[in-house]
Amino acid sequence: MPLICIAAPKGGVGKTTLAANLAGALHCAGQPVLAMDCDPQNALRLHFGLPVWDGAGFLMQLPLRPDWRSLVRDTASGVALLPHGANDIRTALRLAAALEREPELLLAPVRAMLAEPGLILVADLPPGPSQMLNLLAPLADLVVTVLLADANSAALVPEIDSGRFLGSGALSAPQAARVRIVLNQVEATSRLSRAVAEAMVRHLGPRLLGAVCRDEAVAEALAAQRLLHAEAPGSAAALDIEDIARGIAALLPPLPLSTEPVAP
Ligand SMILES: Nc1ncnc2c1ncn2[C@@H]1O[C@H](COP(=O)(O)OP(=O)(O)O)[C@@H](O)[C@H]1O
Ligand SMILES: [Mg+2]
């Protein structure tokens, strides 16, 4: 049913961390969730306990028209996962060229996923204005955009305001209305972090979904290859993420309850 894209104008801001843990928090709230890794870094799987050597995935196989259902992985968290798959430059170029020629290679299976009753699809996007974001943003109910509470991120706010970050053209303005922002790694003890966070609250208003504090438990959960609420329940960042997941759920259309597993 709904598609939530997790994106950012720059890398290393916590997109994958938030994609994994928001998927987990939405699943805990009672909906089936499918997390799809669209970033060739193929890192989303690490939050869900897949071994580093496991290079199987969905996105990298798109030119072969794979059956997405057969590639869905069950995870201990209960979130269903479509990893990107291991990647090299030749595969990446072949995928980009195939999608340029035939966007339906991605859009047809995504529409099939969105037709699943009650299913929430969370897509982890590559940094910046990517081909993947360009294709998926028009289908998205929400584009959750992750920023840090620092000067670099503050400088990117005009890109987000104008919708340029989602690509140029007539669609960028209506799509900008679906953009919501999450501030990550906010530090209450840092003057700069506090000042940027306060300025973002003033400027973004209701477009700011919430903030996640910088918390070592986040990196520890990744090291343990578990979601934050399983590894460090009650940690400050886990509570922040639960809050944001509630905010996201409130923005989505009402969902039918479903107990059907995603994979056949
Ligand atoms: N709130 C946080 N507190 C502490 N570390 C964080 C937090 N969010 C992300 N990180 C760490 O920042 C790094 C980058 O996060 P990641 O999710 O991989 O970013 P991206 O997907 O945007 O490249 C990782 O090492 C992650 O553990
Ligand atoms: Mg990432």
Side-chain angles (χ1 to χ4, degrees):
M1 301 262 290
L3 168 63
I4 301 166
C5 289
I6 313 290
K10 67 193 282 294
V13 294
K15 287 181 302 301
T16 303
T17 303
L18 286 172
N21 288 291
L22 285 171
L26 289 165
H27 173 78
C28 285
Q31 290 300 134
V33 178
L34 175 59
M36 177 170 73
D37 192 352
C38 301
D39 186 341
Q41 229 189 325
N42 196 25
L44 188 61
R45 71 204 163 111
L46 301 176
H47 293 263
F48 290 99
L50 265 63
V52 174
W53 49 259
D54 186 336
F58 172 60
L59 263 284
M60 66 148 190
Q61 288 200 44
L62 281 179
L64 306 174
R65 300 169 202 277
D67 169 20
W68 63 273
R69 286 178 182 281
S70 68
L71 297 173
V72 169
R73 313 288 289 269
D74 289 327
T75 72
S77 66
V79 173
L81 174 69
L82 276 173
H84 182 283
N87 209 17
D88 57 45
I89 183 66
R90 207 176 284 226
T91 324
L93 291 173
R94 200 180 311 132
L95 173 61
L99 284 174
E100 199 58 44
R101 268 195 319 272
E102 196 180 345
E104 282 299 308
L105 287 172
L106 175 66
L107 297 180
V110 166
R111 274 198 296 270
M113 294 170 205
L114 298 181
E116 293 281 316
L119 181 72
I120 300 179
L121 179 58
V122 176
D124 181 25
L125 276 299
S130 62
Q131 184 188 34
M132 287 291 164
L133 182 59
N134 223 8
L135 289 172
L136 291 181
L139 299 184
D141 294 79
L142 280 180
V143 179
V144 174
T145 303
V146 186
L147 294 176
L148 300 178
D150 66 10
N152 270 339
S153 285
L156 291 167
V157 168
E159 291 292 304
I160 294 166
D161 284 345
S162 64
R164 276 195 301 275
F165 147 66
L166 297 172
S168 53
L171 270 180
S172 61
Q175 280 170 24
R178 274 173 267 151
V179 172
R180 295 289 182 281
I181 288 88
V182 169
L183 276 185
N184 189 27
Q185 305 207 28
V186 175
E187 284 186 277
T189 54
S190 151
R191 257 190 316 172
L192 178 64
S193 188
R194 270 202 325 271
V196 173
E198 280 161 19
M200 295 268 198
V201 169
R202 278 196 303 277
H203 179 78
L204 295 169
R207 287 185 295 156
L208 183 62
L209 265 181
V212 181
C213 65
R214 185 196 291 270
D215 185 344
E216 212 186 343
V218 172
E220 287 169 356
L222 174 57
Q225 289 201 271
R226 284 171 19 116
L227 294 184
L228 192 56
H229 68 80
E231 183 66 13
S235 61
L239 297 178
D240 288 341
I241 288 170
E242 275 169 32
D243 262 357
I244 292 166
R246 273 193 289 275
I248 289 175
L251 290 170
L252 298 177
L255 296 170
L257 280 179
S258 163
T259 50
E260 293 294 311
V262 177

